[in-house]
Amino acid sequence: MPSKLAAGAFVLLALVFTFVILFAILVIVGFAGFDALFRRPLEFLIVLLLAGSPVPVWSWSARRARRAWAKG
């Protein structure tokens, strides 16, 4: 049972991270304005990096969750 709990915790961690990143993107776009992202390349780069950051987190969490689920 603890390994299934760990598997759920890894998935929940990735979900929380994704929501935090989405909130950060909304804050950046809210302060800079959507049209300002194209005039300021640094903000646009930050938004692109933040938008892509959940992908490795989800792949790592899914791999760890699969291992934990297989143990249990």
Side-chain angles (χ1 to χ4, degrees):
M1 184 64 174
S3 60
K4 294 194 189 293
L5 186 64
F10 283 124
V11 172
L12 185 64
L13 173 77
L15 189 64
V16 167
F17 180 77
T18 303
F19 283 130
V20 167
I21 292 301
L22 287 176
F23 182 72
I25 290 172
L26 286 175
V27 167
I28 290 171
V29 171
F31 278 123
F34 188 72
D35 58 335
L37 288 178
F38 299 107
R39 286 183 281 140
R40 298 183 192 144
L42 182 62
E43 280 92 355
F44 188 65
L45 180 66
I46 290 171
V47 167
L48 283 180
L49 288 174
L50 284 174
S53 65
V55 174
V57 171
W58 270 103
S59 62
W60 179 84
S61 295
R63 198 172 39 239
R64 296 284 296 190
R66 230 179 287 124
R67 283 188 206 145
W69 191 269
K71 285 183 182 179

